[in-house]
Amino acid sequence: MNDYRKAARRIVNARYCTAFTGAGISVESGVPPFRGEGGLWNKYDPRTFDISYFKANTAASWTAMRDIFYELFGRVLPNAAHYALAELEARQLVREVITQNVDNLHRDAGTHVIHEFHGSLKQILCLACGRKVPVAKVDMNRLPPQCSICGGTLKPNVVFFGEAIPERAASLSFKAAEKTDCMILIGTTGTVAPANMIPAKAKASNATIIEINPCPSEYTRRVTDVFLKEKATTAMEKLMEEIDKLVTE
Ligand code: OAD
């Protein structure tokens, strides 16, 4: 049996299948990954996204964020892999999606049950009063933007280095990892904690781990049961074909 067939069988027969995604699922939408070829960390100093740097150099940090997050990421659209996951949710074959991505593309593709482990660019947080506002309401022409209510410093509601994971997203993600019996990992290196503990938790709960990535990751040897060594869109298209064959057989 080929690996796509094997993966499709595990998904169709799963009691509670979930997905865990990283930057790689959005690469074919035009979102650069963090690491590797064309990675953001080759162009920008990761310290720009450290909370202490942000507090001390708010304007400089905002300039980098506007260029990356709101100009570059702002123009991108979901790809076939995001749509395939939304379709699997609609068919009740995937129950929850946990993502490390902040680009909103799973929501744009129509996924409803999603835990944004590293937050979302679509929301801006006031560090002084805690108010959250949609990004469309924030004027990016004058940086750094300030809270219209209290004048406090605004920051994208995404997790910077040195910050905690949002409590609700963390708790729901780890609960999903305990509950799932099949987890599909797409486009993630497995190098960033605590997010990388989620597939390990699923594996410890006896879930089958299906991994999609053109390159082996930290997960491949440690937790993966079925490795689909391919780009996200091609792999998801092949997987959907196999799922369709199985459900019509
Ligand atoms: P990385 O940028 O570290 O890794 C991207 C992964 O995607 C690699 O394993 C690539 O091989 C794979 N990849 C590249 N192109 C792909 C494609 N077309 N299809 C499928 N996979 C592809 O991204 P993450 O592991 O997700 O944290 O990074 C984790 C965290 O590191 C991010 O969420 C971010 C960063 O620091 C925060 O912002 C807090």
Side-chain angles (χ1 to χ4, degrees), residues 22-24 28 33-35 100 118 159 161 187-189 192 213-214 231-232:
E28 292 163 88
F34 292 94
R35 298 165 188 81
Q100 296 160 88
H118 289 154
V159 176
F161 293 114
T188 178
T189 47
V192 176
N213 199 316
K231 288 183 177 177

Side-chain angles (χ1 to χ4, degrees), residues 27 31-42 215:
V27 164
V31 177
F34 292 94
R35 298 165 188 81
E37 202 189 319
L40 285 174
W41 297 157
N42 301 333
C215 308

Side-chain angles (χ1 to χ4, degrees), residues 16 18-21 89 95-101 106-107 111-120 165-166 168-177 198:
Y16 201 88
T18 53
F20 176 76
T21 67
E89 180 191 74
R95 306 301 182 126
E96 302 184 49
V97 173
I98 302 158
T99 189
Q100 296 160 88
N101 300 344
H106 286 298
R107 284 189 200 283
T111 290
H112 295 96
V113 186
I114 173 148
H115 311 307
E116 292 169 318
F117 202 81
H118 289 154
S120 166
I165 304 300
R168 187 175 153 78
S171 136
L172 292 174
S173 301
F174 280 104
K175 270 194 194 132
I198 293 168

Side-chain angles (χ1 to χ4, degrees), residues 124-129 131-134 137-139 144-154:
I124 307 285
L125 171 74
C126 173
L127 293 183
C129 70
R131 190 165 157 262
K132 290 176 189 155
V133 287
K137 295 212 164 148
V138 174
D139 179 7
Q146 288 177 333
C147 177
S148 60
I149 305 287
C150 77
T153 303
L154 295 179

